[in-house]
Amino acid sequence: MNRGAGLSRLEDMPALLDRLHRMSFRAVSLLPVAAHGRVLRRFFQWTHRVPDPWRYESEPYELARHETTVRHIPGRAYRRVLDVGCGEGAFTRRLAGALPGARCWGVDVSDRAIVRAATRGGTAGFAALDVLTETPEGVFDLVICAETLYYAGRGRRLRLLLSRLRSFMAPGGVLVLVHEWPEARRLYRYLDGDPSLRKVSEHPYDDPSRPYAVTVYEHVGSPAPEPAPEPAP
């Protein structure tokens, strides 16, 4: 057996599994919105059958990414902050510590994750919410979404999710997105064409574990038209 070739195949396995994971959610996004949400809820409920499944509390890569994200948040006064896809709240709590003058909220589709987040203490608030079909109360000066957009798949569903994020923003508000690089370029293409948003900055990081970018937008005007309603199932 060629041990070098075998080792190469083993090293490629995480990347292959990640591609399969993303492809499966592209297929799920072909379902009607409500069914799509139910599948995501069940998936994340299953994922959170154990605490901190992605090791956001302990993995050096995740901890460093959280610190980098906070560093790129524009320096200004924030009153209300929303962390979309917060999981068990590791980054939401980090935000609350970095922005003591703001009221920080984390939302996630998994009830199980939110229950764990809420029992950790701290000043942040948490709610179980499907952002594709449910709207948090009020608007936010800062909205953050990390490693979440690809669960919307492609095309119309992705555009819907991005339009929902934009609708959560107060005029002049900031949107911070953190996703794999260079995939982020594809994920954000609808935002780049939205006249209500201005790209403030983009910072790619060629991390050996997983390249990513922190991208910042500002709400500057009237939004682009909402995507056309999806046909009924």
Side-chain angles (χ1 to χ4, degrees):
M1 177 180 176
N2 184 332
R3 294 185 64 186
L7 180 59
S8 176
R9 284 195 294 272
L10 287 173
E11 291 173 343
D12 288 342
M13 280 301 291
L16 175 60
L17 291 173
D18 186 59
R19 285 195 295 271
L20 291 173
H21 176 76
R22 289 163 186 264
M23 287 173 62
S24 68
F25 282 100
R26 289 174 195 166
V28 169
S29 72
L30 299 175
L31 295 169
V33 174
H36 185 187
R38 286 195 296 271
V39 171
L40 289 179
R41 190 181 300 275
R42 289 169 184 167
F43 170 75
F44 285 107
Q45 288 285 78
W46 177 83
T47 300
H48 286 280
R49 69 196 186 281
V50 295
D52 195 19
W54 285 286
R55 301 179 184 174
Y56 288 151
E57 304 275 5
S58 60
E59 181 67 34
Y61 167 81
E62 300 295 350
L63 295 173
R65 185 167 59 87
H66 289 173
E67 292 301 316
T68 300
T69 301
V70 169
R71 192 167 66 246
H72 289 301
I73 295 173
R76 60 174 72 175
Y78 298 101
R79 294 174 302 166
R80 303 188 78 232
V81 177
L82 182 67
D83 182 17
V84 176
C86 69
E88 296 176 14
F91 181 67
T92 318
R93 290 188 293 276
R94 174 68 184 85
L95 269 179
L99 304 171
R103 180 62 168 138
C104 295
W105 288 92
V107 297
D108 196 275
V109 73
S110 168
D111 298 353
R112 186 173 287 168
I114 290 299
V115 167
R116 288 206 187 103
T119 59
R120 299 287 177 87
T123 61
F126 297 94
L129 187 144
D130 178 358
V131 293
L132 281 172
T133 57
E134 300 173 293
T135 302
E137 183 178 350
V139 291
F140 298 84
D141 309 298
L142 173 63
V143 176
I144 298 183
C145 182
E147 296 293 340
T148 298
L149 292 179
Y150 63 81
Y151 289 108
R154 294 178 178 268
R156 182 178 293 173
R157 193 62 50 78
L158 174 60
R159 188 180 176 193
L160 171 63
L161 178 53
L162 291 170
S163 119
R164 297 281 293 162
L165 294 182
R166 185 193 64 217
S167 73
F168 302 158
M169 298 171 66
V174 171
L175 174 65
V176 177
L177 301 173
V178 187
H179 290 84
E180 187 173 350
W181 186 260
E183 183 188 27
R185 288 174 170 165
R186 176 187 69 79
L187 293 172
Y188 307 160
R189 67 187 184 278
Y190 297 118
L191 297 179
D192 292 334
D194 186 336
S196 74
L197 297 174
R198 176 177 69 91
K199 184 182 285 187
V200 175
S201 63
E202 188 161 67
H203 303 276
Y205 287 88
D206 191 21
D207 190 282
S209 298
R210 189 180 191 187
Y212 66 95
V214 181
T215 307
V216 179
Y217 293 86
E218 183 179 15
H219 191 299
V220 294
S222 300
E226 294 290 328
E230 297 190 19

